[in-house]
Amino acid sequence: MHQARQHAHQHAQTRTRERRRRVAHEAARLMAESGYRDYHQAKLKAAERLGIFDDASLPANREIEDALREYQRLFQREHADGLRQRREAALRAMEFFAGFEPRLVGPVLEGTADARSPVALHLYCDDFEAVPRFLEQHHIPAETRERRLRLDRERAEDFPVWVFSAEELGFDLTVLPLDVLRQAPLSNVDEKPMKRASTAQVRQMLAEEEISLFERS
């Protein structure tokens, strides 16, 4: 009797894992092909399409991100070229904004960027007016916005954002105080400290990609 219950439990777990995998891959397809930008929205739409409604079968955002990366690698050949183009543009922008301790964040760093993804940078400065002054000095027309970021489990604050276009790409600059350099804000994907890369790390990443491409050719 106990063995039968254990077998039934294992079977149920396997079935739930399979459903999570199916929902993650369908959500990834929706994000890649239909322009969904929000993991939660894509997840609910995917579950609805597959007729799966129990919460246990809904994948975590990070599972969807992994599935999206796999989907892009398998089905979107132009993805690698577009990603490299954005990372190279990110490096040039980071060198341009060197005085603001820039960090690359978001899909361009994570490897899930598509044709609609801007190059997202965090700039660090205690004088929030310094970035718009710098943009104005270099005749870069930019629009201002605001973004709410969670600094930790207890604190969330609004920060200024500047967006502009260059090299036929969008750039998205969030301006943060210098003390935030010590601890990254929490990611809205998995609520862990978001991944960030310095100028040196982006340069290293591009160099490693170059070596990898050379070895494959």
Side-chain angles (χ1 to χ4, degrees), residues 203-215:
R203 194 178 289 116
Q204 177 68 21
M205 182 167 56
L206 285 167
E208 287 170 0
E209 286 174 7
E210 192 77 31
I211 292 166
S212 176
L213 282 171
F214 178 77
E215 287 174 346

Side-chain angles (χ1 to χ4, degrees), residues 33-169:
E33 295 182 0
S34 303
Y36 281 83
R37 311 300 297 154
D38 180 84
Y39 285 93
H40 185 67
Q41 187 185 18
K43 182 192 311 186
L44 294 181
K45 186 67 178 175
E48 181 188 337
R49 286 192 172 192
L50 295 169
I52 294 171
F53 299 104
D54 61 303
D55 288 347
S57 297
L58 295 181
N61 290 344
R62 191 61 75 185
E63 291 174 75
I64 298 171
E65 186 178 66
D66 290 343
L68 177 58
R69 198 177 286 113
E70 182 184 347
Y71 184 94
Q72 289 169 325
R73 184 175 56 81
L74 292 174
F75 299 111
Q76 296 181 311
R77 263 189 229 170
E78 72 278 7
H79 172 256
D81 293 338
L83 181 61
R84 182 164 184 84
Q85 178 196 12
R86 278 167 171 73
R87 285 176 171 173
E88 288 173 344
L91 179 59
R92 288 191 290 275
M94 293 171 82
E95 288 168 344
F96 181 70
F97 290 107
F100 298 102
E101 301 281 355
R103 296 293 185 272
L104 178 62
V105 297
V108 174
L109 174 61
E110 298 274 4
T112 57
D114 59 28
R116 297 174 295 271
S117 301
V119 174
L121 301 179
H122 284 180
L123 304 183
Y124 297 87
C125 182
D126 287 333
D127 175 8
F128 282 1
E129 295 304 312
V131 172
R133 279 199 306 269
F134 186 80
L135 291 168
E136 196 174 332
Q137 284 166 9
H138 290 86
H139 310 291
I140 299 171
E143 294 178 27
T144 183
R145 296 178 187 167
E146 257 191 3
R147 174 169 295 128
R148 177 157 283 253
L149 291 176
R150 292 181 63 198
L151 298 177
D152 53 41
R153 301 273 177 196
E154 283 76 42
R155 289 185 303 151
E157 291 182 26
D158 294 323
F159 297 99
V161 175
W162 296 89
V163 296
F164 64 91
S165 295
E167 304 180 30
E168 299 183 354
L169 296 174

Side-chain angles (χ1 to χ4, degrees), residues 167-178:
E167 304 180 30
E168 299 183 354
L169 296 174
F171 290 81
D172 178 303
L173 315 175
T174 304
V175 186
L176 300 160
L178 280 166

Side-chain angles (χ1 to χ4, degrees), residues 172-209:
D172 178 303
L173 315 175
T174 304
V175 186
L176 300 160
L178 280 166
D179 64 3
V180 179
L181 255 176
R182 291 198 302 269
Q183 173 69 43
L186 301 185
S187 166
N188 59 10
V189 174
D190 58 9
E191 297 192 346
K192 294 178 181 176
M194 63 174 62
K195 292 180 183 175
R196 303 182 294 185
S198 67
T199 305
Q201 287 168 328
V202 173
R203 194 178 289 116
Q204 177 68 21
M205 182 167 56
L206 285 167
E208 287 170 0
E209 286 174 7

